[in-house]
Amino acid sequence: MVGSIPHNLLNSCMSDSPPDPVDYDLKALLEAQRAYFRLGSTRSIDFRRERLKGLEAELVKRSDDLLAALASDLGKPALEAYVSEVFFSIAEIRLVVKKLSRWAKPKRVGNPFYYWPARSEVRREPYGTALIVAPWNYPVQLSLSPLVAAVAAGNTVVLKPSELAPASSTILAEIIKAAFNPQHVAVVEGGSELGKELLKHSFDYWFYTGSERVGRLYGEAAARYLAPITLELGGKCPVVVADDAPIETTVERIITTKFFNAGQTCIAPDFVLVPSHRHEAFVAAAKAALENAYADNPRENLARIVNHDHYERIRSLIPLEAIRVGEDDPEDRFLAPTLIPYSTWECPVMQEEIFGPVLPIIPYHDIDGEIGRLSRMPSPLALYLFSRRDDFLEAIAAAVPSGSVCFNDAIKQATNLELPFGGVGASGMGRYRGKAGFEAFSYQRAVTKRWFCKDPFLVKPPYGNRLGSLRKLMK
Ligand code: NAD
């Protein structure tokens, strides 16, 4: 089947060494993928599962290379890298392979009696050729999770990893090349110039993860081609601590999730609201937790900031009175874990998504006033609430929209493959992960079958006075 696609097209778009971004012949690549899709090559569920198993095998084989690449790009501690990138991706593939036949099975639905005899069902169909554009902070997971979903749904895929994690991008490209033929899945490597080229092409599904500013460009491009899009964006994820939350456990959970990957996580707690009479205890516990975690061997346990621009941006947000654990090392892009104990809504650190190892703590007196403020903020990806009282938790969850909510912990809701992941409003649109990913990359096709017997309820002219009897029937 593949032989029917001109090989010169593929050779011109896929060379062995990563070419200069604009050297990709994207038109040829897209034509080759579209031809492959039209051949029906990706329709078989068995084929999709086999390809995903092949991807899993490559991931297992290259996991040490991935860990080394993630250490080189982001100084990720090996355990963090393994759990959040390699293990997570393998776990998702296994789940999808196990459940795919069930998800893809057409769902029978009923028929109105006046269509009898008829059979109707909803089928899940692939869109065609999908574009996936990934960010740098979890360069493996955030490339592979949508890719697995797109392949599971039967699409062909063009994946662009982030240029800011170049070592990971290279290994990913090698893994994909070993697991798929390029008519099915291809990686194109490069930065914003390549991104701008991609925006000129027509994809059948667009999937973008990254900043709001660039997300708008992808949104506009998808609209130009009337194509569906998932936008996975960012924002400031708030944490609200109630006066009855147990301080030690609450602090431990906030600190662990905030400083994972040096705070460069889209769903990391961004800032914490703490009742003013518990503020002192909270700050003392947070400082102790940071010291426990990072006072010895900080460089082995905390990731680096991705580049010098981001390093300087985050450092400029840190005021003199901040609590720092350890020393900064700009050469190594190591930023000491930081608490800002008396933050206010007006501080510079509260004016943008931090995306770094800096935690502002805002003492509050009036929870209703804080809820009002939170509800007027751009909707975040995640909302974290700590309390033993369900009425407290549910009242804030109802008042403050967010892509997800986690009660009494952080990030867990987003790493459960049984839950859909995504934002709302400014933090994005669409859902993926596990079944939600399969659904994102496929559309529902309504199918009705009838037989050639006489129609007892045929509506056809001349209508005569049948309206009256029809009305009686519908009463
Ligand atoms: P970014 O927008 O700078 O880059 C993302 C991708 O867009 C990269 O592949 C990049 O090469 C490409 N790109 C950049 N400029 C472009 C242009 N002009 N035209 C076309 N493509 C272009 O984002 P980032 O810095 O990699 O990611 C950080 C942001 O992403 C944060 O706001 C974070 O919260 C958000 N994020 C969201 C999620 C999520 O799942 N919702 C996950 C991770 C990161």
Side-chain angles (χ1 to χ4, degrees), residues 31-93:
E31 275 170 12
Q33 289 209 349
R34 284 192 201 293
Y36 190 70
F37 182 78
R38 276 196 300 270
L39 285 172
S41 316
T42 64
R43 293 201 72 83
S44 148
I45 302 296
D46 283 344
F47 170 83
R48 299 178 200 172
R49 291 170 43 160
E50 284 314 308
R51 297 278 50 79
L52 291 174
K53 284 187 200 164
L55 175 61
E56 181 192 339
E58 282 303 314
L59 273 175
V60 170
K61 196 159 90 191
R62 302 295 304 273
S63 69
D64 284 344
D65 296 334
L66 282 171
L67 297 189
L70 291 160
S72 153
D73 287 334
L74 287 146
K76 285 203 191 207
L79 188 77
E80 287 190 11
Y82 186 77
V83 169
S84 62
E85 307 256 26
V86 179
F87 171 80
F88 188 89
S89 303
I90 290 174
E92 184 156 21
I93 294 173

Side-chain angles (χ1 to χ4, degrees), residues 95-404:
L95 175 83
V96 170
V97 166
K98 188 170 156 204
K99 301 262 177 98
L100 183 55
S101 302
R102 209 173 312 160
W103 297 341
K105 208 169 159 203
K107 305 276 179 298
R108 284 280 289 274
V109 297
N111 295 282
F113 72 88
Y114 39 85
Y115 288 169
W116 189 87
R119 193 176 73 188
S120 295
E121 64 188 25
V122 180
R123 294 182 188 166
R124 282 276 167 191
E125 299 279 350
Y127 282 101
T129 295
L131 173 68
I132 296 171
V133 176
W136 50 263
N137 59 333
Y138 291 88
V140 179
Q141 183 207 123
L142 296 177
S143 296
L144 291 185
S145 184
L147 186 146
V148 166
V151 169
N155 299 278
T156 66
V157 182
V158 175
L159 164 70
K160 193 194 90 59
S162 171
E163 73 282 13
L164 298 188
S168 308
S169 173
T170 302
I171 305 289
L172 263 178
E174 289 171 8
I175 288 174
I176 301 291
K177 197 170 173 186
F180 298 95
N181 70 52
Q183 300 101 315
H184 187 193
V185 181
V187 175
V188 292
E189 291 184 85
S192 59
E193 287 311 310
L194 175 58
K196 285 179 200 158
E197 281 304 308
L198 288 166
L199 291 170
K200 296 177 189 163
H201 291 269
S202 156
F203 292 89
D204 304 302
Y205 197 93
W206 298 66
F207 190 103
Y208 170 83
T209 306
S211 64
E212 183 185 327
R213 182 185 65 81
V214 178
R216 283 178 196 278
L217 303 177
Y218 284 89
E220 283 164 16
R224 232 177 3 255
Y225 295 109
L226 292 181
I229 185 167
T230 298
L231 287 173
E232 294 288 341
L233 311 176
K236 288 178 89 63
C237 298
V239 182
V240 184
V241 178
D243 52 12
D244 67 336
I247 288 286
E248 208 176 306
T249 310
T250 299
V251 163
E252 186 186 42
R253 291 179 182 178
I254 295 171
I255 295 294
T256 310
T257 50
K258 168 76 188 187
F259 292 87
F260 196 91
N261 201 27
Q264 301 166 113
T265 305
C266 55
I267 40 161
D270 188 277
F271 61 95
V272 191
L273 294 165
V274 181
S276 49
H277 67 281
R278 306 195 75 200
H279 175 258
E280 206 176 301
F282 186 95
V283 172
K287 182 167 178 279
L290 278 186
E291 282 167 352
N292 267 338
Y294 301 111
D296 301 329
N297 300 326
R299 280 153 200 265
E300 282 173 29
N301 293 305
L302 191 71
R304 305 300 186 268
I305 303 306
V306 66
N307 63 21
H308 285 286
D309 287 351
H310 277 281
Y311 188 90
E312 290 309 327
R313 177 187 64 79
I314 302 165
R315 212 151 72 141
S316 73
L317 301 173
I318 301 175
L320 283 175
E321 68 274 16
I323 297 171
R324 322 277 328 269
V325 174
E327 298 280 317
D328 290 344
D329 180 353
E331 284 306 303
D332 191 25
R333 303 187 321 272
F334 178 86
L335 198 61
T338 301
L339 301 173
I340 304 180
Y342 283 97
S343 194
T344 65
W345 287 92
E346 289 70 38
C347 289
V349 76
M350 289 301 293
Q351 309 313 311
E352 59 186 82
E353 179 184 4
I354 302 168
F355 225 55
V358 176
L359 183 65
I361 301 164
I362 304 180
Y364 71 83
H365 293 281
D366 166 26
I367 187 63
D368 293 333
E370 302 303 334
I371 295 173
R373 263 182 201 276
L374 292 173
S375 67
R376 291 190 296 274
M377 279 176 57
S379 301
L381 263 181
L383 176 66
Y384 301 123
L385 309 170
F386 289 77
S387 176
R388 293 186 195 278
R389 296 196 321 267
D390 282 347
D391 58 339
F392 178 93
L393 300 172
E394 295 296 347
I396 302 182
V400 182
S402 65
S404 62

